[in-house]
Amino acid sequence: MIEKKYDYLIVGAGLFGSVFAHEMTKLNKKCLVIDKRDHLGGNVYCEEKEGINVHKYGAHIFHTNDKKIWDYVNRFATFNNYINSPLSLSKGNLYNLPFNMNTFYQLWGTKTPEEAKQKIDEQIAKYGVKSPANLEEQALSLVGKDIYETFIKEYTEKQWGKKATELPAFIIKRLPVRFTYNNNYFNDRYQGIPTGGYNVIINGLLEGIETKTGIDFFEDKEHLESIADTIVYTGKIDEFFDYKYGQLEYRSLRFEHEIHDSENYQGNAVVNYNDAKYPYTRIIEHKHFEFGKQEKTIITREYPENWNKGKEAYYPINNEDNQKVFKRYKEESKKLKNVIFGGRLAEYRYYDMHQIIASSLAKVEEISMSKQE
């Protein structure tokens, strides 16, 4: 029997793969991390331009309630005290997000929680339905007409490329409504941006570990599988099985980056553009994530797009049909004893960053426990 060169070949240098490689290296396992992109870090990769850390694949704000995960990422970077407080442009007016007393005052002129609750309850009673059949009915039943038409309808239709009446109700399980004057988008205890960008964390995780970029796993699959005892696969699960049960659906994104010869373009890190007349859903101004004082500024417009095999897959479309297909791939994956599937694409679910890290750590612990038995 030929001895394999590596214990683990990790396909994908995003957070799941990087955390897994780091933890297994600590356990004296030899790892190789590959990625088809020309850089490490997956979607959290930051590109330094004009002294600004540009979130190349959209805004990433770290937030969690899990102290263990917070302590873990703080081993690799110092986090600033950035608080995500996006603004929303709708029908020519700017509003605070998430939906809170500032939003309601801007929308209706209400000044007390009682006034705002009464307004919302009246609209739910008038426009809501008992058994919502689609996203529009679900939203009207949760927050009423004004909030739905001002903030949700056109934005969501752009995001998903379908009419709200054609989208399933379960996409919106709840709509957080906050009856305080608090513009902090997240409720989590811990929040911030790593000083120097997310590359600091990825570089810390992968320090001393062999990595190769510009490597497409599927172009040399047979050879790559032959050099490691176990494959850790973080790509699309349907692609791994050559789409034998059909192609899973995703939404994609396109980013347009612009450098401006001014210190400040929009005064906030994130501004949502709700109206259908804007083809993008938001503009990100990156310097505000790290309170930058650079002479220039860089903005990114984010355009939702239909996905095809030539594009990056960002959001799984977790409707009933796709879940049926995914379930077949999931059953197929369980038959492979030397392949571990992990991360957003391999598990066909949307993960926040802290959830990906937790999932990777849990997988390492599961393997360690099984080896001890």
Side-chain angles (χ1 to χ4, degrees):
M1 185 175 172
I2 300 172
E3 188 176 342
K4 303 288 181 85
K5 188 177 179 182
Y6 303 97
D7 295 295
Y8 293 97
L9 170 71
I10 292 128
V11 182
L15 278 171
F16 188 98
S18 298
V19 168
F20 189 95
H22 180 82
E23 294 302 314
M24 281 303 178
T25 301
K26 281 163 49 179
L27 296 174
N28 297 316
K29 301 298 181 183
K30 189 166 175 57
C31 298
L32 169 64
V33 180
I34 66 170
D35 201 291
K36 69 179 180 182
R37 292 176 177 173
D38 62 359
H39 60 75
L40 304 172
N43 289 347
V44 303
Y45 172 72
C46 293
E47 192 170 47
E48 193 271 327
K49 288 183 178 180
E50 304 291 341
I52 299 166
N53 291 308
V54 176
H55 295 209
K56 190 174 173 70
Y57 304 101
H60 286 81
I61 298 102
F62 200 92
H63 59 98
T64 184
N65 270 324
D66 190 329
K67 188 175 187 302
K68 178 185 169 187
I69 299 299
W70 182 244
D71 290 344
Y72 185 85
V73 292
N74 274 271
R75 295 181 206 168
F76 305 99
T78 302
F79 280 74
N80 66 19
N81 62 344
Y82 174 82
I83 299 294
N84 192 34
S85 304
L87 293 168
S88 180
L89 181 66
S90 178
K91 313 295 186 290
N93 296 312
L94 275 173
Y95 300 90
N96 291 107
L97 291 177
F99 309 140
N100 69 73
M101 287 301 297
N102 289 308
T103 322
F104 306 143
Y105 175 74
Q106 292 153 350
L107 191 59
W108 299 311
T110 51
K111 298 181 182 68
T112 67
E114 187 178 352
E115 289 175 330
K117 283 179 184 176
Q118 183 179 348
K119 196 83 174 172
I120 291 170
D121 288 344
E122 284 173 0
Q123 294 199 1
I124 290 173
K126 186 173 181 180
Y127 299 104
V129 296
K130 284 188 176 178
S131 300
N134 55 54
L135 185 144
E136 180 168 294
E137 292 182 355
Q138 175 81 320
L140 290 169
S141 303
L142 289 170
V143 291
K145 186 179 182 182
D146 288 351
I147 293 174
Y148 169 65
E149 292 190 343
T150 305
F151 303 108
I152 299 167
K153 184 181 189 300
E154 293 177 49
Y155 188 93
T156 304
E157 289 178 345
K158 279 195 289 188
Q159 187 77 12
W160 293 101
K162 290 183 178 180
K163 295 290 183 188
T165 50
E166 297 169 0
L167 290 165
F170 70 76
I171 288 179
I172 299 180
K173 291 186 173 66
R174 63 187 186 90
L175 284 168
V177 174
R178 193 180 284 168
F179 293 101
T180 58
Y181 289 90
N182 177 7
N183 296 325
N184 183 350
Y185 194 78
F186 302 115
N187 291 312
D188 295 316
R189 184 177 177 187
Y190 308 105
Q191 182 177 174
I193 302 284
T195 303
Y198 286 93
N199 298 1
V200 175
I201 295 176
I202 297 297
N203 293 340
L205 286 165
L206 296 177
E207 185 178 359
I209 297 170
E210 188 177 351
T211 62
K212 292 181 180 180
T213 56
I215 304 290
D216 189 328
F217 174 69
F218 296 103
E219 287 182 0
D220 200 10
K221 188 168 182 273
E222 192 174 328
H223 167 70
L224 290 168
E225 287 180 328
S226 74
I227 62 175
D229 290 326
T230 303
I231 307 295
V232 179
Y233 179 76
T234 69
K236 297 189 291 293
I237 191 169
D238 53 346
E239 186 176 14
F240 186 90
F241 292 108
D242 199 24
Y243 307 103
K244 66 190 288 185
Y245 299 124
Q247 191 172 296
L248 291 166
E249 292 180 293
Y250 302 87
R251 283 293 281 169
S252 190
L253 296 170
R254 176 170 59 86
F255 303 99
E256 285 187 0
H257 309 286
E258 290 177 0
I259 299 172
H260 287 259
D261 288 319
S262 61
E263 286 187 22
N264 195 349
Y265 180 84
Q266 64 185 17
N268 205 50
V270 181
V271 177
N272 286 4
Y273 282 73
N274 287 284
D275 302 350
K277 69 178 181 179
Y278 300 104
Y280 43 89
T281 49
R282 58 183 179 172
I283 293 180
I284 301 157
E285 188 168 8
H286 301 269
K287 71 189 303 180
H288 296 308
F289 289 129
E290 298 185 63
F291 315 113
K293 304 295 183 188
Q294 298 89 345
E295 290 182 5
K296 295 185 180 182
T297 193
I298 298 176
I299 66 163
T300 299
R301 289 184 176 87
E302 191 171 301
Y303 296 81
E305 291 189 333
N306 289 326
W307 176 82
N308 59 46
K309 287 184 185 178
K311 295 178 182 177
E312 289 293 335
Y314 287 93
Y315 301 107
I317 299 177
N318 295 116
N319 59 24
E320 196 174 322
D321 290 341
N322 281 306
Q323 285 304 119
K324 284 178 184 175
V325 174
F326 170 66
K327 190 175 180 183
R328 297 186 75 184
Y329 285 122
K330 177 81 171 172
E331 292 304 313
E332 192 81 10
S333 73
K334 291 176 182 176
K335 299 173 187 175
L336 301 177
K337 302 303 178 190
N338 66 333
V339 183
I340 295 165
F341 293 82
R344 181 175 47 93
L345 300 178
E347 297 179 57
Y348 198 65
R349 59 176 292 188
Y350 183 79
Y351 272 129
D352 283 327
M353 288 180 284
H354 66 285
Q355 294 168 322
I356 292 177
I357 293 169
S359 175
S360 189
L361 290 172
K363 181 55 69 175
V364 170
E365 187 174 355
E366 180 189 318
I367 293 165
S368 300
M369 297 295 287
S370 67
K371 294 275 173 71
Q372 292 171 17
E373 288 174 0

